[in-house]
Amino acid sequence: MPKLKIDKSHYRFNPHTLKYEKIVRGWGYYAGVVLGYIGIGAAFGVLFFFIYTSFMQSPQERQLADENNRLRAQYKVLSHQLDDALKVMDDICERDENFYRVILETDSLPKSLRTGNYDFTARYDKWNDMRASAIVKENTKKMDILNRMLYVQSASFDELVKLAQQSEDRLKHIPAIQPVLNKDLKRTASGYGRRMDPIYQTIRFHKGMDFSAPVGTEIFATGAGTIKYMGWKQGYGNLVIIDHGYGYITYYAHISKFKKGLFRGCKVNRGDVIAFVGNTGKSTGPHLHYEVHVDGKVQNPQNYYYLDLSPEQYDEMIRIAASNGKMFD
């Protein structure tokens, strides 16, 4: 049986001739079809690539993401370490201001000089295009502040060393130890400032520090000087006043007895025994009342024990003195 031939030609109706005419397709048609398929394939390819890149990560991207996460974690650890370092520097600066500079009577350094001002500056703008720009800028700012504080503090210590070298004799005369043996701080009774009067039960200003101790406990001169007064004084009881020169004067009150051989005008050195603890004058128990005066103004004695106490003991003394609300006199 002969095979039928199927005509695969395409026809179209021509309205002018009213006949169906055979469509003749040249190479341009087929080229267009091929280009069409290629375009569709390319569109699907672009779509697939967009979906892949948006929702899927390549191994390199996953590695970069892990590295970024580790860097962020490291920056957070660094931030905490910088905070701790800044706290230590703040403590050093506070001791410098309230201790060493007080002792050497030199000008204070303002906080703005120590830390600088980095709040309104364009120096950190170069990190604005980073994803982790906030934490990078924050840590960089902390490091800048820490570096400045280290520089200023180093210069401050250099200045204080020079002042100390120039003031060797003066330092011998400045009150610098506790007036009674008090290494364990158990004799610290009441501090400087507003306290409850033990007799009148009213709040008044306490001009010194009280050290509780048994009658007869030795009292030491806290710096080299000249005995300005020895005798009875209203409220103080038996009292010794030492003029250390350079504007420094110290009071030792409620004494039971004076050291033999001492007299008004006598020279004493730091650590010399000058008297013994008692309970004379306006006193509610055996103790020593100790005052420091500089250029005629009463000062907080706790700032004048720098040869006697470690930084930890100094902080503990401040805590004990502040917590005792009543004085002994």
Side-chain angles (χ1 to χ4, degrees):
M1 185 176 181
K3 293 182 178 180
L4 295 174
K5 291 184 179 181
I6 300 175
D7 187 0
K8 296 182 179 180
S9 299
H10 295 273
Y11 295 85
R12 64 182 173 188
F13 181 75
N14 187 336
H16 298 291
T17 61
L18 301 178
K19 292 181 179 181
Y20 285 95
E21 298 176 353
K22 189 175 182 179
I23 299 174
V24 179
R25 294 174 176 169
W27 63 269
Y29 168 80
Y30 294 103
V33 171
V34 170
L35 291 175
Y37 283 118
I38 292 175
I40 293 172
F44 276 106
V46 171
L47 179 62
F48 177 77
F49 177 78
F50 174 77
I51 294 173
Y52 180 82
T53 55
S54 299
F55 300 100
M56 304 287 289
Q57 286 185 326
S58 67
Q60 292 82 3
E61 289 175 326
R62 284 194 295 270
Q63 182 180 357
L64 287 174
D66 291 339
E67 290 179 358
N68 284 336
N69 290 332
R70 287 196 295 269
L71 284 174
R72 284 193 179 92
Q74 187 60 39
Y75 268 116
K76 289 181 180 179
V77 172
L78 179 61
S79 178
H80 291 308
Q81 292 174 341
L82 287 172
D83 288 338
D84 292 339
L86 287 170
K87 287 180 182 177
V88 172
M89 279 304 305
D90 281 337
D91 290 340
I92 294 173
C93 293
E94 183 177 355
R95 184 170 293 277
D96 182 39
E97 285 293 328
N98 300 324
F99 194 64
Y100 303 119
R101 288 184 169 270
V102 170
I103 295 300
L104 292 172
E105 294 185 326
T106 188
D107 294 335
S108 174
L109 296 179
K111 187 175 180 64
S112 59
L113 175 63
R114 291 182 178 274
T115 61
N117 186 357
Y118 298 95
D119 291 331
F120 304 100
T121 176
R123 62 187 291 134
Y124 309 117
D125 291 347
K126 58 186 175 181
W127 289 293
N128 285 341
D129 58 345
M130 295 179 62
R131 289 187 177 181
S133 63
I135 192 169
V136 173
K137 291 165 69 174
E138 178 187 1
N139 283 349
T140 305
K141 178 181 176 182
K142 289 179 181 178
M143 183 60 73
D144 287 341
I145 294 174
L146 180 59
N147 286 334
R148 182 179 180 88
M149 292 179 72
L150 284 170
Y151 173 79
V152 174
Q153 189 59 56
S154 177
S156 174
F157 282 150
D158 289 342
E159 176 191 0
L160 294 177
V161 168
K162 289 180 181 178
L163 286 173
Q165 291 171 345
Q166 296 169 359
S167 309
E168 185 175 355
D169 181 71
R170 180 171 172 271
L171 289 175
K172 291 179 182 178
H173 289 77
I174 294 176
I177 63 173
Q178 296 178 94
V180 297
L181 190 62
N182 188 31
K183 286 293 184 182
D184 58 7
L185 304 181
K186 291 182 179 179
R187 289 177 172 171
T188 306
S190 182
Y192 174 91
R194 296 179 63 80
R195 295 288 187 275
M196 177 68 72
D197 188 294
I199 297 176
Y200 302 110
Q201 297 298 307
T202 57
I203 299 295
R204 69 176 179 85
F205 191 81
H206 190 223
K207 296 191 295 184
M209 287 190 73
D210 291 340
F211 296 87
S212 61
V215 172
T217 299
E218 292 179 328
I219 299 172
F220 307 106
T222 57
T226 303
I227 294 180
K228 181 180 180 180
Y229 179 87
M230 288 182 70
W232 179 273
K233 190 174 181 66
Q234 183 67 35
Y236 288 99
N238 288 327
L239 173 69
V240 172
I241 299 177
I242 298 178
D243 186 346
H244 301 275
Y246 303 99
Y248 290 88
I249 294 177
T250 51
Y251 286 50
Y252 309 79
H254 310 302
I255 291 169
S256 61
K257 61 180 180 179
F258 307 107
K259 179 71 181 293
K260 289 183 179 180
L262 294 183
F263 52 89
R264 183 175 179 180
C266 184
K267 302 289 185 181
V268 295
N269 293 313
R270 181 182 292 134
D272 288 349
V273 177
I274 57 172
F276 302 90
V277 171
N279 189 26
T280 60
K282 181 176 173 288
S283 173
T284 57
H287 78 287
L288 169 68
H289 174 81
Y290 175 64
E291 293 180 14
V292 177
H293 297 245
V294 180
D295 295 330
K297 296 181 180 179
V298 67
Q299 304 291 318
N300 191 338
Q302 72 185 21
N303 294 326
Y304 297 89
Y305 303 137
Y306 67 95
L307 290 182
D308 219 15
L309 299 176
S310 68
E312 293 77 14
Q313 290 173 319
Y314 176 81
D315 291 340
E316 179 64 11
M317 166 170 276
I318 293 176
R319 187 194 66 79
I320 295 172
S323 63
N324 292 332
K326 280 191 176 183
M327 47 192 167
F328 278 64
D329 46 43

